[in-house]
Amino acid sequence: MRLLTFDKNGLFFSVVAFFLFACNSTGFDFYSHSVSYYFYDSIINSSDLLFGHVVLPRYLMLSYLYEITSRVGIPVGWISAMLITYPIYNVAKILFKSSQHNNGDKCSVYVCVLIGSSFLLAFFYSGLSLVLLWFLSYLVTKKKVFLIGGLLHPVGIIIFLFGLLFLKKDFLRFVFMLTLTLMLFYVSSKFNLLTAASYENFRYELTLDSLSTTLSLVFEKKQTELMGLVVILLLSFFAKAKFLASINVLARVYIHKNLLKSSSIFLCVLFFFAMIGSPTLINSFLHFSYNDVIYAAWFDWGAKDLRVEHWELYMRRYQPL
């Protein structure tokens, strides 16, 4: 009896996603996160203050995940990798099962585009790209665990509240989860349990009066990501809307599964060569050496070994390979 089994499609595409993520150079957002939360005792990232009492960390629960795991000695890179590969594994698993054609050897063009979109979200890692990836995973799989994605970035709250507006049960579930999270933030703020909960270095003080101004700023700064959300919603709808098959030409276009896998490998090769001269995790393995930023993000388990200031490690992100 096998206690642990894996879906082959899900495993393949999650490995591809991890490879693409590992092609991030130290100038990418991920390494900014890694460097700042490496110094978990210092107040580096700005936060927001809700109604004068609740400290909202810059990346909400993602900030807490970063800080707690860093405190216990787990490099941030592995947490980020799990946050990427888990949803992509589930997306690929469900998409291939639900779009079987010709004995499962082919998949629809929408499946290919959704998989490709998830790869781009993995490569261009950020707090908001994680929200979009987890929202995509929720739309495809309908698993309640992916509602957590709305708590990984402040804009995620808006995306999930509007995205779940017509799904009453899951909307209420998310509101309940959000309420519990805000209670956690309040307690953590009151007793100063984490550095991310400290009453210092605020960006915005959020009140009912300032809410509209803050939302306007969000829409101005995050237009690209919000457009990506619209694309994901449309693609998810067309991928699942079987009744459109008779009038939608693309719904009747199928691509062989092996071609999609070959294209994914080609994408890995393309991104690898695009980043060949940059300090990345993949290049570090190939050269049998790594700089301090790569070390802090992936290999510094347990007590912190680097004896540098935040600004020093931050500037090393831009050093050549």
Side-chain angles (χ1 to χ4, degrees):
M1 180 179 178
R2 290 181 296 178
L3 297 178
L4 188 62
T5 59
F6 291 100
D7 179 81
K8 289 188 293 185
N9 293 316
L11 189 60
F12 174 84
F13 289 107
S14 58
V15 169
V16 170
F18 176 78
F19 183 91
L20 292 173
F21 177 53
C23 286
N24 270 202
S25 77
T26 52
F28 278 51
D29 275 3
F30 161 66
Y31 287 100
S32 175
H33 296 186
S34 299
V35 168
S36 60
Y37 286 94
Y38 186 81
F39 301 91
Y40 53 79
D41 284 330
S42 302
I43 301 171
I44 296 169
N45 294 286
S46 58
S47 46
D48 302 316
L49 188 62
L50 181 64
F51 299 132
H53 296 286
V54 183
V55 177
L56 301 181
R58 181 166 184 172
Y59 305 111
L60 296 185
M61 285 303 296
L62 185 59
S63 290
Y64 275 27
L65 279 174
Y66 283 156
E67 183 174 335
I68 291 170
T69 52
S70 185
R71 283 180 179 275
V72 300
I74 302 173
V76 167
W78 299 107
I79 303 305
S80 300
M82 289 175 58
L83 291 172
I84 286 172
T85 54
Y86 177 69
I88 289 179
Y89 173 87
N90 283 273
V91 165
K93 177 182 176 181
I94 295 299
L95 281 178
F96 276 92
K97 283 186 177 179
S98 62
S99 67
Q100 286 183 347
H101 179 78
N102 194 16
N103 296 322
D105 290 332
K106 295 183 180 180
C107 53
S108 74
V109 67
Y110 289 116
V111 169
C112 299
V113 176
L114 285 172
I115 293 290
S117 299
S118 66
F119 287 161
L120 291 177
L121 291 172
F123 180 72
F124 294 104
Y125 179 96
S126 69
L128 192 48
S129 73
L130 273 181
V131 169
L132 293 175
L133 182 58
W134 280 61
F135 187 64
L136 169 63
S137 304
Y138 167 76
L139 292 176
V140 172
T141 69
K142 292 298 185 291
K143 289 186 176 181
K144 314 309 177 196
V145 66
F146 291 115
L147 294 175
I148 295 172
L151 306 174
L152 299 178
H153 190 279
V155 182
I157 295 175
I158 301 171
I159 289 173
F160 273 73
L161 284 176
F162 279 99
L164 298 170
L165 202 55
F166 300 104
L167 301 170
K168 184 178 179 181
K169 288 185 178 180
D170 285 349
F171 178 83
L172 293 176
R173 283 191 183 95
F174 181 72
V175 170
F176 178 69
M177 291 169 57
L178 176 60
T179 303
L180 290 180
T181 302
L182 292 177
M183 290 172 62
L184 171 65
F185 287 160
Y186 173 74
V187 172
S188 186
S189 306
K190 186 175 179 62
F191 295 100
N192 199 24
L193 299 180
L194 294 171
T195 306
S198 177
Y199 284 93
E200 296 183 34
N201 197 20
F202 293 123
R203 292 182 303 177
Y204 309 115
E205 185 166 353
L206 304 177
T207 63
L208 291 176
D209 293 333
S210 66
L211 187 60
S212 59
T213 304
T214 305
L215 287 175
S216 298
L217 288 172
V218 168
F219 281 105
E220 286 178 16
K221 293 182 177 181
K222 303 296 182 180
Q223 288 182 11
T224 302
E225 289 85 352
L226 292 174
M227 283 300 297
L229 171 64
V230 172
V231 171
I232 287 173
L233 286 171
L234 291 174
L235 288 172
S236 301
F237 172 72
F238 285 123
K240 294 241 174 195
K242 296 180 180 178
F243 67 89
L244 290 176
S246 60
I247 59 174
N248 187 353
V249 176
L250 289 178
R252 302 196 299 274
V253 176
Y254 288 87
I255 297 172
H256 200 281
K257 184 168 60 178
N258 290 337
L259 178 59
L260 177 57
K261 289 186 175 182
S262 300
S263 300
S264 300
I265 295 173
F266 175 75
L267 186 66
C268 288
V269 173
L270 190 66
F271 275 76
F272 168 74
F273 280 106
M275 307 299 291
I276 194 67
S278 304
T280 70
L281 179 62
I282 296 296
N283 290 332
S284 296
F285 280 124
L286 293 177
H287 289 84
F288 299 102
S289 66
Y290 43 79
N291 62 26
D292 286 343
V293 178
I294 299 286
Y295 178 74
W298 295 100
F299 302 115
D300 195 358
W301 294 84
K304 306 303 182 189
D305 295 334
L306 298 178
R307 297 293 179 263
V308 294
E309 298 293 328
H310 169 257
W311 67 268
E312 293 179 87
L313 190 58
Y314 184 87
M315 292 309 297
R316 290 176 191 177
R317 292 174 55 211
Y318 302 102
Q319 292 179 348
L321 183 65

